[in-house]
């Protein structure tokens, strides 16, 4: 049980160091909405979401006011729509109608994002899966709050290269469909390997089929808090540095545990997990890059960056798991370029490249995240980048993801503006050497030997 004294201990973190609860995400199962009639399906989906999430935003605001803890976002995740719509949807256009329904429901209850416009195709695609994936460009162009994800690989099944090839084209098509907004649609589309069922963070959140009817998941964030804490051990040894990060992660996670418990109790919905990821924002002082620089790097991307990030990620997890019995989601440290002022500065200075970012994904929580690339980049090149990242996740038995934004009409040296928490990003160069002969092979890359554990 958490008491109010633990919250009071965090007052300085909240007031001066940008500590916040990044999101309360209400997971809602739509499996009981399945229907062969598309109109009835949409009606059931709208009714269930607006009923269960009716008090989500007001509950979050009450907790903010009572405990003085900023809760930045209130969000919803749902069962992957490729499964929910399989019986009723006969075409990509049918799936778009569900996207519009989800968007209306999200607007009605007041959340900023709803995740789960998703397909799980790590081994193969059904017609329903493929129809949903092909609908993504239009769905993201005609809605405001929908977030989409496709899981194309896993350690147990390998990498579905047919889906990887298709996703490269879908990213391009989504960029074109939203080119009037700096290809913003791609900022709401994530391609995963080993996607978790309980991730509360957007744009990759969905409610896995192993989850219950409804669940409250919370994502906490505190890069500024960690940076401030390790400033006090500047020049000290690694043992003291690691202990400081662990203790700080513990305190941050306890705040999330309090919020999750209160939200669960007040809404009468079971508590699921705390995701203790360090999630940055474009605000100064709220940057994972600045933590790495405080550890001892002149700028992110310098030699030693991957080692520093690996240590940070590990210590955050070690501290967090002692503060909550149910840590899940991604948990660790995010490295999105557009959402982290330090990352943006490093890209602009030329110290942080696509290749270095890929190396960092071997040890961080997610992957190549919120990276703006030239709009002329080919679909095959995007698929190749996705395949590389999926291989890192598959072989290392971890979640990896790709959220690339080919900004139509812009090239290296220009900047894309996304606004809000999504921030802005300098266009980063990519290796355009042709990989199309590899990408165009059909089938899947087999699972690695160490996946056979039975």
């Amino acid at each position: 049980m958490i008491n109010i004294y633990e919250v009071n201990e965090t007052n300085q973190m909240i007031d001066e160091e940008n500590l916040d609860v990044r999101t309360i995400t209400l997971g809602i199962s739509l499996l009981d909405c399945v229907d062969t009639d598309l109109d009835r399906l949409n009606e059931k989906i709208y009714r269930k979401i607006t009923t269960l999430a009716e008090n989500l935003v007001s509950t979050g605001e009450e907790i903010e006011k009572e405990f003085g803890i900023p809760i930045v976002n209130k969000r919803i995740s749902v069962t992957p729509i490729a499964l929910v719509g399989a019986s009723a949807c006969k075409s990509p256009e049918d799936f778009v109608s569900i996207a519009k329904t989800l968007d209306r429901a999200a607007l009605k209850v007041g959340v900023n994002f709803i995740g789960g416009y998703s397909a799980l195709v790590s081994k193969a695609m059904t017609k329903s899966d493929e129809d949903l994936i092909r609908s993504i460009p239009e769905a993201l162009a005609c809605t405001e709050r929908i977030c989409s994800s496709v899981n194309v690989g896993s350690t147990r099944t390998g990498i579905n290269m047919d889906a990887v090839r298709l996703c490269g084209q879908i990213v391009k098509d989504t960029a074109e469909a939203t080119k009037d907004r700096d290809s913003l649609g791609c900022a709401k589309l994530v391609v995963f390997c080993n996607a978790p069922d309980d991730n509360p963070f957007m744009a990759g959140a969905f409610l896995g089929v192993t989850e219950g009817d409804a669940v409250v998941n919370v994502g906490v964030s505190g890069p500024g808090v960690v940076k401030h804490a390790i400033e006090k051990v500047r020049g000290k040894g690694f043992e003291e540095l690691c202990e400081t990060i662990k203790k700080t992660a513990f305190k941050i996670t306890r705040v999330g545990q309090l919020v999750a418990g209160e939200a669960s109790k007040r809404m009468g919905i079971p508590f699921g997990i705390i995701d203790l990821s360090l999630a940055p924002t474009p605000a100064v002082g709220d940057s994972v890059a600045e933590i790495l620089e405080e550890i001892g790097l002149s700028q992110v991307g310098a030699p030693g960056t991957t080692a520093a990030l690996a240590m940070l990620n590990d210590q955050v997890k070690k501290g967090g798991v002692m503060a909550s019995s149910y840590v899940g989601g991604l948990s660790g440290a995010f490295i999105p370029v557009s959402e982290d002022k330090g990352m943006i500065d490093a890209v602009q200075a030329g110290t942080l490249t696509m290749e270095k970012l890929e190396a960092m994904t071997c040890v961080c929580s997610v992957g190549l995240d919120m990276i703006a690339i030239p709009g002329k980049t080919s679909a095959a090149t995007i698929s190749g980048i996705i395949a590389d990242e999926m291989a890192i996740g598959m072989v290392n038995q971890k979640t990896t993801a790709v959220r690339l934004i080919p900004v139509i009409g812009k090239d290296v040296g220009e900047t894309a503006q996304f606004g809000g928490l999504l921030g802005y990003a300098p266009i980063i160069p990519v290796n355009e050497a042709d990989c199309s002969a590899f990408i165009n092979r059909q089938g899947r890359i087999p699972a690695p030997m160490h996946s056979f554990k039975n």
Side-chain angles (χ1 to χ4, degrees):
M1 184 69 180
I2 300 172
N3 60 53
I4 192 64
Y5 300 106
E6 291 183 72
V7 178
N8 291 336
E9 188 181 19
T10 69
N11 280 344
Q12 181 182 356
M13 297 181 186
I14 293 168
D15 294 340
E16 302 176 20
E17 300 163 17
N18 295 311
L19 174 64
D20 59 55
V21 169
R22 186 55 47 84
T23 180
I24 297 176
T25 299
L26 175 61
I28 300 175
S29 173
L30 300 182
L31 291 176
D32 58 347
C33 297
V34 170
D35 200 297
T36 56
D37 183 272
L38 185 57
D39 290 336
R40 286 199 302 265
L41 172 62
N42 278 308
E43 181 183 345
K44 290 178 182 179
I45 289 172
Y46 183 82
R47 187 187 313 124
K48 184 165 188 182
I49 291 173
T50 54
T51 300
L52 278 177
E54 180 181 13
N55 299 319
L56 173 61
V57 172
S58 60
T59 298
E61 290 171 348
E62 288 170 6
I63 295 170
E64 281 185 274
K65 184 176 180 180
E66 184 171 338
F67 294 100
I69 301 169
I71 302 172
V72 180
N73 299 296
K74 296 83 180 175
R75 296 167 169 172
I76 295 169
S77 65
V78 298
T79 310
I81 294 299
L83 300 175
V84 178
S87 296
C89 296
K90 308 305 180 187
S91 68
E93 291 73 26
D94 287 346
F95 276 106
V96 172
S97 76
I98 299 180
K100 292 177 180 177
T101 297
L102 294 172
D103 204 46
R104 284 194 301 114
L107 175 63
K108 173 70 174 177
V109 300
V111 297
N112 68 325
F113 284 130
I114 182 166
Y117 197 76
S118 307
L120 310 180
V121 295
S122 62
K123 197 169 186 180
M125 289 183 285
T126 64
K127 183 181 184 300
S128 174
D129 292 325
E130 185 170 345
D131 282 346
L132 180 132
I133 294 170
R134 291 189 182 279
S135 78
I136 288 171
E138 184 181 352
L140 295 182
C142 71
T143 61
E144 294 182 19
R145 297 163 186 82
I146 297 298
C147 288
S148 182
S149 59
V150 184
N151 189 75
V152 301
S154 76
T155 300
R156 294 305 300 266
T157 62
I159 303 170
N160 181 349
M161 291 299 293
D162 294 330
V164 168
R165 181 174 60 256
L166 177 58
C167 283
Q169 187 60 56
I170 293 301
V171 170
K172 283 285 287 187
D173 293 346
T174 302
E176 284 284 354
T178 55
K179 63 183 179 182
D180 59 326
R181 291 164 279 168
D182 274 355
S183 301
L184 177 65
C186 295
K188 296 183 283 184
L189 171 58
V190 184
V191 183
F192 273 115
C193 179
N194 292 323
D197 286 352
D198 53 8
N199 165 29
F201 283 102
M202 298 297 169
F206 62 85
L207 187 74
V209 295
T210 61
E211 301 285 326
D213 194 56
V215 65
V216 173
N217 296 323
V218 167
V220 296
S221 181
V225 180
V226 175
K227 179 178 181 292
H228 186 268
I230 64 177
E231 285 173 356
K232 299 174 183 177
V233 293
R234 192 175 293 167
K236 302 290 186 180
F238 281 104
E239 182 177 357
E240 193 164 348
L241 173 63
C242 291
E243 286 298 311
T244 300
I245 295 171
K246 281 194 295 185
K247 290 176 181 177
T248 306
F250 178 89
K251 293 178 181 179
I252 292 170
T253 307
R254 291 298 273 178
V255 174
Q257 180 76 27
L258 170 67
V259 170
E262 285 295 321
S264 172
K265 179 174 66 177
R266 297 180 190 203
M267 295 182 68
I269 293 173
F271 160 59
I273 57 93
I274 300 290
D275 186 316
L276 49 96
S277 297
L278 296 179
T281 71
V284 175
D286 199 27
S287 163
V288 171
E290 290 177 7
I291 297 174
L292 300 176
E293 289 162 7
E294 180 58 40
I295 288 173
L297 306 171
S298 61
Q299 194 162 38
V300 172
T305 295
T306 306
L309 180 59
M311 182 199 68
L312 172 65
N313 215 44
D314 184 55
Q315 300 310 310
V316 165
K317 293 187 179 194
K318 286 175 176 173
V321 296
M322 294 300 293
S324 173
S325 297
Y326 298 103
V327 170
L330 297 162
S331 290
F334 290 171
I335 54 170
V337 172
S338 77
E339 300 171 14
D340 189 313
K341 182 63 168 60
M343 295 288 182
I344 294 168
D345 291 345
V347 168
Q348 290 175 327
T351 61
L352 189 58
T353 64
M354 181 70 82
E355 289 72 23
K356 187 61 177 178
L357 281 163
E358 183 179 297
M360 293 166 67
T361 66
C362 296
V363 299
C364 79
S365 292
V366 192
L368 296 171
D369 196 19
M370 287 301 291
I371 300 172
I373 61 176
K376 64 183 180 182
T377 306
S378 71
T381 295
I382 294 170
S383 292
I385 295 171
I386 292 171
D388 285 344
E389 197 59 34
M390 300 303 99
I392 289 172
M394 176 184 71
V395 171
N396 290 294
Q397 305 178 71
K398 67 185 293 294
T399 301
T400 52
V402 173
R403 189 161 43 150
L404 294 179
I405 307 161
V407 185
I408 303 301
K410 292 190 174 181
D411 210 335
V412 177
E414 297 181 85
T415 299
Q417 299 285 345
F418 306 122
L421 281 175
L422 297 176
Y424 65 97
I427 311 296
I428 193 170
V430 299
N431 187 332
E432 285 279 11
D434 186 29
C435 63
S436 58
F438 171 68
I439 293 301
N440 288 331
R441 290 179 180 270
Q442 296 183 343
R444 75 178 192 272
I445 294 176
M449 178 62 75
H450 59 254
S451 69
F452 302 114
K453 295 181 180 295
N454 288 342

